[in-house]
Each structure stands twice: as structure tokens, then as C-alpha cells.
Amino acid sequence: MPQFQKLTPNLLVTNVERSVAFYTDVLGFERGMFVPDVAPFVFASVTSGSVEIFFNDAVVAGQEYPTLAGRPIGTSGTMFIEVKDLDAYYAQLQGAVTILVPLVTQPYGMKEFAITDPDGYIITFAERAS
């Protein structure tokens, strides 16, 4: 059985630059790699600690993977990201993002809230409840 090392979401987006700006300027990630080195970009990544997210231009990805061509983006899945000091992060994002699920403590012991990014991807940020 293989031992998996890492999972990196690879999101199809309508505008790579816009996605990077949202994840860095609003959510606090750091810029990673870009392809090509200058805009317009077809690929980029952002990181924060051990979390890394890839962004691929949907049109270019559809050319490489024809089964992706023309599929709607942003609605096929969600991301669940654990963070430290969730309350402060929630307060920081108020007014800067669309909150889908307000801060709540779930029956399974996680305190969490959910937002949407510019392409409609849903991101839940969570922290183990005290």
C-alpha cells in the first residue's frame, strides 16, 4: 500500500491572477510559482505552512485534459483548511469575503466557517473546539 505524502488542490479558474490576488491579499497565503514568469499566467500556486493550492487557467487545462473542457468551475468540490486562531481569522475576513456559513461549533467538535472564492469554490476554515 502506498504512503501518501501530500494533497494539493488543483483548481480550474477563470483568471489565475485574480485567484492569486484573492488568496494572498485577502486570505493571507503567500505567492508560489507562476507559469509563465510574466502575465498572462496559465498556472500559479499559493502556500501557507504545509497547505499549497494550484490554480490552472480553465481554458488551457481543457486543452490539456479534454474531459475538463467546458465543465463548470467552482462547484465540483470544497476545501477544508484547519487554521490556528480561527476567531481572529474570522474577524479579519469580515467584509472582505462572502461568508456562506457563519462561525459555528459543529457536533463533531470543530469550530468553523465557510466562504466562497471568486470562482465559486467553497472553503471551510476550521479549528478544533476547546
Side-chain angles (χ1 to χ4, degrees):
M1 193 76 162
Q3 182 178 1
F4 299 104
Q5 300 295 315
K6 182 180 177 184
L7 172 67
T8 304
N10 192 352
L11 307 180
L12 299 183
V13 298
T14 55
N15 184 304
V16 172
E17 290 176 74
R18 179 185 69 180
S19 293
V20 169
F22 178 80
Y23 280 77
T24 57
D25 299 344
V26 178
L27 299 184
F29 282 79
E30 294 181 16
R31 293 168 62 101
M33 62 182 128
F34 286 80
V35 176
D37 292 333
V38 296
F41 303 111
V42 298
F43 171 86
S45 67
V46 295
T47 62
S48 180
S50 63
V51 175
E52 182 175 35
I53 301 170
F54 290 168
F55 306 106
N56 276 276
D57 179 271
V59 173
V60 174
Q63 293 167 353
E64 186 175 349
Y65 300 97
T67 59
L68 295 176
R71 287 192 181 188
I73 60 174
T75 59
S76 61
T78 67
M79 291 186 286
F80 188 88
I81 302 173
E82 291 188 34
V83 299
K84 291 184 180 178
D85 201 2
L86 185 72
D87 292 320
Y89 192 52
Y90 182 72
Q92 174 188 327
L93 293 181
Q94 291 294 309
V97 300
T98 300
I99 304 286
L100 295 179
V101 177
L103 193 60
V104 62
T105 300
Q106 299 289 8
Y108 44 85
M110 296 298 283
K111 184 188 252 187
E112 57 193 47
F113 68 93
I115 68 163
T116 185
D117 82 356
D119 284 288
Y121 289 103
I122 297 170
I123 308 165
T124 299
F125 294 102
E127 181 176 48
R128 177 86 35 216
S130 327

